C-alpha cells in the first residue's frame, strides 16, 4: 500500500462513517443537543467537512468546495464563508439547524471527491513538503493530512456518540 492509498482509505472511512451516523436523522434530530452546551450531530458533521475542505484545499492550492461548489449558499448557514467552526460558541453551534442529512452528505461528498483527487496523486516525497512554517518544527504535508484525518475521526466519533444519545 502506498502512502496515497493509505490516505485515500482513511478519508473514505470518514466519509462512510458520516453516512452511517446521519442515516435516518431528520433536520431536527441533526440539530438536537444531548446537553445544553453540547455539539449537535449536524454541527459536528458540518465542522469535520469544513476542516477537511479548508485544510486540504489550502495544502493543494485549490479553492474550497464550500465556495467553489456553492455549498456556503446552499446550506444557508449564518457564517462567513471562511468559517470552519473552529472556536465556535454554544450559540454558534445552535445556528447549524434546518440542514438535512442529504445536504450534509452532499457537501462532504464534494469535499471527499476533491480530497481523493488530490491525495491519490501524491508521491511519498510530496509528503515531506513543508506547508506551514508557523509551527516549530514546520508542518509537512504528511503531518497536515494526518492531522486532518485525526481531527475528522475524533469529530466523527463524537457525532456517533451524540447520535446514540438521541435514542
Amino acid at each position: 500500500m502506498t502512502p496515497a492509498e493509505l490516505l485515500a482509505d482513511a478519508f473514505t472511512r470518514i466519509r462512510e462513517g458520516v453516512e452511517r451516523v446521519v442515516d435516518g436523522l431528520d433536520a431536527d434530530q441533526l440539530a438536537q443537543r444531548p446537553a445544553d452546551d453540547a455539539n449537535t450531530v449536524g454541527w459536528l458533521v458540518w465542522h469535520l467537512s469544513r476542516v477537511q475542505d479548508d485544510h486540504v484545499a489550502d495544502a493543494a492550492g485549490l479553492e474550497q468546495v464550500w465556495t467553489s461548489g456553492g455549498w456556503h449558499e446552499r446550506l444557508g448557514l449564518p457564517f462567513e464563508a471562511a468559517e470552519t467552526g473552529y472556536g465556535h460558541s454554544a450559540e454558534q453551534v445552535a445556528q447549524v439547524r434546518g440542514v438535512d442529512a442529504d445536504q450534509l452528505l452532499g457537501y462532504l461528498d464534494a469535499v471527499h471527491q476533491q480530497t481523493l483527487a488530490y491525495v491519490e496523486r501524491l508521491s511519498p516525497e510530496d509528503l515531506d513538503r513543508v506547508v506551514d512554517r508557523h509551527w516549530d518544527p514546520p508542518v509537512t504535508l504528511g503531518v497536515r493530512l494526518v492531522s486532518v484525518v485525526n481531527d475528522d475521526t475524533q469529530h466523527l466519533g463524537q457525532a456517533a456518540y451524540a447520535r446514540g444519545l438521541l435514542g
Side-chain angles (χ1 to χ4, degrees):
M1 177 178 276
T2 67
E5 291 168 332
L6 181 68
L7 287 164
D9 182 67
F11 283 112
T12 297
R13 288 173 190 239
I14 292 163
R15 165 54 185 88
E16 292 168 348
V18 167
E19 185 171 19
R20 285 189 300 277
V21 165
V22 302
D23 184 49
L25 296 182
D26 63 28
D28 289 337
Q29 291 169 311
L30 289 166
Q32 187 175 337
R33 289 185 137 141
D36 289 343
D37 287 340
N39 294 328
T40 65
V41 172
W43 183 88
L44 286 160
V45 169
W46 170 79
H47 172 62
L48 74 83
S49 301
R50 287 293 298 124
V51 167
Q52 186 180 144
D53 191 10
D54 176 76
H55 288 33
V56 174
D58 181 61
L62 300 169
E63 183 179 352
Q64 296 176 32
V65 299
W66 182 243
T67 52
S68 70
W71 290 99
H72 179 247
E73 292 80 18
R74 283 193 239 182
L75 269 62
L77 298 175
F79 308 130
E80 297 294 324
E83 285 193 52
T84 63
Y86 181 76
H88 267 188
S89 67
E91 292 77 25
Q92 289 170 305
V93 169
Q95 292 177 319
V96 177
R97 55 184 324 98
V99 177
D100 65 35
D102 287 341
Q103 290 172 304
L104 290 170
L105 281 175
Y107 173 49
L108 181 57
D109 281 341
V111 171
H112 183 65
Q113 291 309 310
Q114 180 160 288
T115 296
L116 288 185
Y118 177 61
V119 301
E120 287 177 342
R121 68 176 194 258
L122 294 175
S123 70
E125 296 76 29
D126 291 329
L127 299 176
D128 292 330
R129 177 174 59 90
V130 172
V131 295
D132 189 347
R133 296 191 182 281
H134 293 99
W135 299 92
D136 185 20
V139 177
T140 63
L141 177 60
V143 168
R144 176 61 43 88
L145 293 173
V146 168
S147 176
V148 173
V149 167
N150 180 58
D151 188 72
D152 278 4
T153 302
Q154 288 184 54
H155 290 311
L156 174 57
Q158 293 165 352
Y161 181 76
R163 184 203 166 105
L165 294 175
L166 294 175

